[in-house]
Amino acid sequence: MTTITGYHAHVYYDAPQKADAQRLCEALRDRFGLPMGRLHDGAVGPHPRGSCQLTVSPEQFSDVMQWLIANRRGFTIFAHALSGDEIKDHTDHVIWLGPSEQLDLSKLA
């Protein structure tokens, strides 16, 4: 069995959406006390475009996902488990809210 120690939720955005994406991420941070990474305006790691990462504990995951389903404001959200296996965490242990996007898994090898 895979041990999941937490989750990342990545809010994807394009340049014209940056201010709205920041407001969404800050709302998540403030509502749930989540650690919020910086906003990356371009592809970083395996992510195909701008994104902001929030770290979610296993105990908070259900509440955070329910809130995002109702409040994601049209943004694509890529959520994945943190199990220590980066490839599986970005392929098998994932949830997409909105359209899924192609990740560059070569960045994880």
Side-chain angles (χ1 to χ4, degrees):
M1 176 175 236
T2 299
T3 300
I4 296 172
T5 60
Y7 300 88
H8 282 160
H10 300 271
V11 177
Y12 285 175
Y13 66 90
D14 294 315
Q17 303 169 301
K18 182 177 182 176
D20 289 334
Q22 183 169 349
R23 281 190 286 279
L24 177 62
C25 292
E26 288 171 349
L28 277 162
R29 178 197 65 199
D30 296 345
R31 180 177 182 90
F32 296 100
L34 302 179
M36 177 181 148
R38 59 188 206 107
L39 281 81
H40 296 275
D41 291 341
V44 64
H47 306 287
R49 58 191 179 114
S51 66
C52 180
Q53 173 184 291
L54 295 118
T55 302
V56 183
S57 71
E59 297 78 22
Q60 293 174 299
F61 188 70
S62 176
D63 290 338
V64 168
M65 292 305 289
Q66 288 178 61
W67 189 90
L68 277 170
I69 287 168
N71 297 286
R72 67 183 179 87
R73 303 177 191 157
F75 286 98
T76 294
I77 312 292
F78 173 62
H80 66 84
L82 300 172
S83 73
D85 184 331
E86 289 215 11
I87 297 294
K88 284 189 176 183
D89 288 348
H90 287 80
T91 56
D92 295 344
H93 308 150
V94 305
I95 296 172
W96 288 95
L97 301 179
S100 62
E101 300 191 21
Q102 186 68 40
L103 301 179
D104 183 355
L105 298 176
S106 71
K107 305 284 184 176
L108 301 175

